[in-house]
Amino acid sequence: GTLDEVRIWSGLVKTDFSDRFEKLSGNEANLLAYYAFDEATGSRLNDLSLNDREGQLVGSPEPTWQLSGAGLQPPSDLRAQVN
């Protein structure tokens, strides 16, 4: 599988995901770590939050980088319902 970004939050029960297409600033309340996967080489992941929790890609075979087709704008026909 592929990942485009990982956000790790503390003590947060989130029901509104309208910001999921926005890049974070890194200083959001309760944000523990934010990995945008923009490095493009190597296995180190820079934490873009203020907490400086560097990540490491591991696996066998070694993970590979590829360009993401994910956009920051939601598709015009996207609909979601959270109960």
Side-chain angles (χ1 to χ4, degrees):
T2 60
L3 290 173
D4 186 62
E5 146 179 308
V6 172
R7 303 171 180 190
I8 302 173
W9 302 89
S10 170
L12 187 66
V13 177
K14 191 168 175 124
T15 58
D16 176 14
F17 295 94
S18 61
D19 64 347
R20 69 188 172 278
F21 294 105
E22 298 174 13
K23 195 165 185 83
L24 300 180
S25 65
N27 63 351
E28 288 79 3
N30 300 315
L31 182 64
L32 293 178
Y34 176 35
Y35 306 107
F37 294 89
D38 291 339
E39 292 79 7
T41 62
S43 60
R44 181 179 168 174
L45 297 173
N46 296 315
D47 179 7
L48 301 178
S49 79
L50 299 178
N51 299 311
D52 198 31
R53 294 186 167 134
E54 301 303 322
Q56 183 79 26
L57 294 173
V58 296
S60 179
E62 187 172 313
T64 57
W65 293 93
Q66 62 186 28
L67 290 177
S68 170
L72 291 178
Q73 296 299 319
S76 60
D77 62 345
L78 180 67
R79 294 179 183 85
Q81 179 177 349
V82 178
N83 295 325

